[in-house]
Structures are given as C-alpha cells and as structure tokens.
C-alpha cells in the first residue's frame, strides 16, 4: 500500500532522513522505531505532506504522494494522529469526531449556507457514523463532554476516532501510547489490532513503547540518525546489532 523510496530530507546542514526505503504491505501493522532524533516524525510529516522531500518518492497505492496537495491527503485515504494532541478542546467529543468526516462530505459552502435538504441528510449520516466510532472506542458516555474536560487517555481515543472518521485506508499513529499508563497501553494494543482486523486498515505506527510495538507489529523498521538500520519481523529486529547499539550506546 505504501512505498517509501530513497527519501531524503535536509534542514540546512542537518540530515533528517538519508535515503530511507521500506514498504508497508496492505493489511499489516508496521512499527517505525528509533531513538529520539532518528527521523521518525520527520518521515510522518513527509507522508502527511507537511514536509517536502528533498529526494526520493513516496507511493501510495502506486501513485506518488508528492504530487498530491496537502489538503487532499485525507481524501485519498490517509488518516493520522499526532504526537501532541491536536483536538478542538472546547468542542464536544462528538463534534471533534464529526470534523474528521469533513474530507468525505460533498456539500460545499453555498449548499450549507442555504441549508438545503441534502445538507441535513449529509449531516445526519455524518452524525451516525461518528456515533458508531464513538461506541467502537468506548467513548459513548462522554460523547457530549468537552474534550478539555476529559482525562488524557480518553483524549487520545477521541483523536483516534477523528482519524478513523475520514475513512482512511492507511492509518498513521504518531506515538499513541505517549502519556498512557500500563493498563491503558495494554488496551491500546488491543484497539489497534481490532482496528486493523475489523475495519480492514493498514497501520504505520511510530512508538517508543517497545513492548507495544513488538507485540502488535507484523514488521518493524528501525531508524537512527535519519537512516534505516534494520527491518524485519519484531524478533529479527530486536536482535539486530545496530539497533541494540542505537538504544544502549554500546556494542551488541
């Protein structure tokens, strides 16, 4: 589904990504790991078209993402959560999730301004879809609560529901376990697997929580200082000498 080909990114004299290449197969969970500063979030920002690649290409279902405008990324089938929550904190959980459906709505400014019947029908469908996702992620009891009033773990699930509302084919999760306690991390792992299995999505996951990554990923890609140092099954990557050195700072 996703092919990252020889991607390079520089910020002045700093090499953020250096000739990175890997594939994300359809229907799989792929973990992207590495120490702080390895280039993981930079790569996610390239996939989201927030950053421009200095070299290489990124193919999504065979088409170059680099030719797609930033505002069309969600519409082509890529959903994303963020390392730092990017929710509308004064809006309700329901409204936040409904916002995620914007890329799938067909009525524009003028139809909404005139409040034609088609607008009401579309809004009702968006509401129903959002409620299905809210129930799926066990948020029904707080659907009408302001996001700002929720615990951090629930806010994480709201952002996940909003990403799913765009009906993605590929879901990018940027450190979804950050700030969660041990029990919440365990629940998150089950939720990600259920999303893949029930919603038939492909998942690319950036995460520092190694036990989560290794327990749910089909494949793992490791970066360090902007370049790929290992790729394979979780068991294979865990034994890779360069990865051990990157995390422990010594020889394998």
């Amino acid at each position: 589904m996703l092919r990252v080909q020889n991607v390079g990114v520089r910020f002045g004299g700093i090499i953020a990504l250096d000739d990175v290449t890997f594939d994300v197969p359809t229907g799989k969970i792929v973990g992207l790991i590495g120490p702080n500063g390895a280039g993981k979030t930079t790569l996610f920002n390239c996939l989201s078209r927030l950053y421009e690649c200095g070299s290489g290409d990124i193919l999504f279902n065979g088409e170059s993402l680099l030719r797609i405008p930033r505002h069309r990324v969600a519409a082509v089938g890529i959903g994303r959560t963020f390392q730092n929550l990017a929710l509308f904190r004064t809006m309700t959980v329901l409204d936040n999730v409904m916002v995620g459906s914007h890329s799938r709505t067909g009525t524009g400014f003028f139809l909404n301004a005139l409040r034609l019947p088609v607008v009401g029908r579309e809004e009702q469908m968006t509401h129903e879809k959002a409620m299905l996702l809210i129930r799926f992620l066990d948020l029904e009891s707080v659907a009408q609560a302001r996001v700002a009033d929720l615990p951090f773990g629930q806010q994480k699930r709201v952002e996940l529901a909003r990403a799913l509302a765009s009906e993605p084919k590929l879901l990018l999760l940027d450190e979804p376990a950050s700030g969660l306690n041990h029990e919440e991390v365990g629940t998150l792992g089950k939720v990600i697997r259920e999303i893949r299995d029930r919603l038939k999505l492909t998942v690319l996951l950036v995460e520092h929580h190694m036990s989560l990554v290794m327990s749910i990923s089909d494949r793992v890609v490791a970066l360090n200082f902007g370049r790929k140092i290992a790729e394979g099954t979780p068991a294979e990557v865990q034994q890779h000498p360069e990865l051990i050195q990157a995390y422990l700072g010594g020889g394998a």
Side-chain angles (χ1 to χ4, degrees):
M1 177 171 289
L2 181 72
R3 172 160 289 179
V4 177
Q5 290 185 328
N6 309 109
V7 167
V9 176
R10 288 175 178 263
F11 300 111
I14 298 173
I15 301 175
L17 293 172
D18 183 11
D19 198 32
V20 174
T21 296
F22 66 89
D23 292 341
V24 178
T26 301
K28 301 297 184 181
I29 299 174
V30 176
L32 185 62
I33 64 172
N36 287 329
K40 305 181 299 297
T41 297
T42 297
L43 180 58
F44 257 38
N45 286 338
C46 290
L47 297 176
S48 305
R49 300 286 288 112
L50 299 177
Y51 291 171
E52 295 290 345
C53 298
S55 59
D57 202 355
I58 300 171
L59 303 179
F60 180 64
N61 284 331
E63 299 292 330
S64 176
L65 275 179
L66 306 188
R67 301 190 185 99
I68 297 173
R70 292 179 177 90
H71 67 275
R72 292 287 301 163
V73 170
V76 300
I78 298 177
R80 177 183 176 176
T81 65
F82 290 83
Q83 183 177 346
N84 298 312
L85 290 172
L87 295 168
F88 298 99
R89 292 176 55 79
T90 60
M91 290 168 53
T92 67
V93 169
L94 175 59
D95 287 340
N96 266 276
V97 179
M98 288 178 67
V99 165
S101 297
H102 176 70
S103 63
R104 298 300 175 190
T105 56
T107 56
F109 174 79
F110 291 107
L111 290 179
N112 277 271
L114 295 172
R115 298 300 298 173
L116 295 179
V118 66
V119 174
R121 291 194 295 270
E122 185 175 70
E123 187 170 343
Q124 180 61 31
M125 290 176 61
T126 300
H127 180 280
E128 291 172 358
K129 183 171 69 174
M131 285 305 302
L132 287 174
L133 290 170
I134 285 171
R135 294 187 192 104
F136 176 63
L137 292 173
D138 196 24
L139 291 166
E140 192 169 11
S141 64
V142 295
Q144 297 301 329
R146 288 194 326 155
V147 164
D149 298 329
L150 299 181
F152 188 74
Q154 284 187 320
Q155 291 187 35
K156 284 272 191 177
R157 277 187 278 154
V158 174
E159 189 174 45
L160 181 55
R162 187 181 63 183
L164 293 174
S166 67
E167 301 177 20
K169 300 170 186 173
L170 173 67
L171 181 62
L172 307 177
L173 301 178
D174 193 352
E175 297 197 24
S178 174
L180 303 185
N181 61 39
H182 180 74
E183 182 179 351
E184 289 171 333
V185 170
T187 300
L188 175 65
K190 296 175 184 176
V191 168
I192 293 173
R193 282 195 296 265
E194 194 169 4
I195 286 171
R196 189 270 307 272
D197 296 339
R198 286 184 54 182
L199 303 183
K200 308 301 182 186
L201 298 188
T202 302
V203 179
L204 179 59
L205 165 76
V206 164
E207 186 54 66
H208 283 291
H209 202 293
M210 287 298 100
S211 64
L212 173 64
V213 174
M214 298 303 175
S215 66
I216 68 172
S217 298
D218 299 296
R219 295 190 63 77
V220 176
V221 176
L223 301 180
N224 194 29
F225 293 114
R227 64 182 185 86
K228 186 177 77 174
I229 59 173
E231 180 178 6
T233 66
E236 291 169 346
V237 170
Q238 280 179 301
Q239 301 303 315
H240 199 284
E242 283 194 74
L243 182 68
I244 296 171
Q245 185 174 16
Y247 274 99
L248 301 182

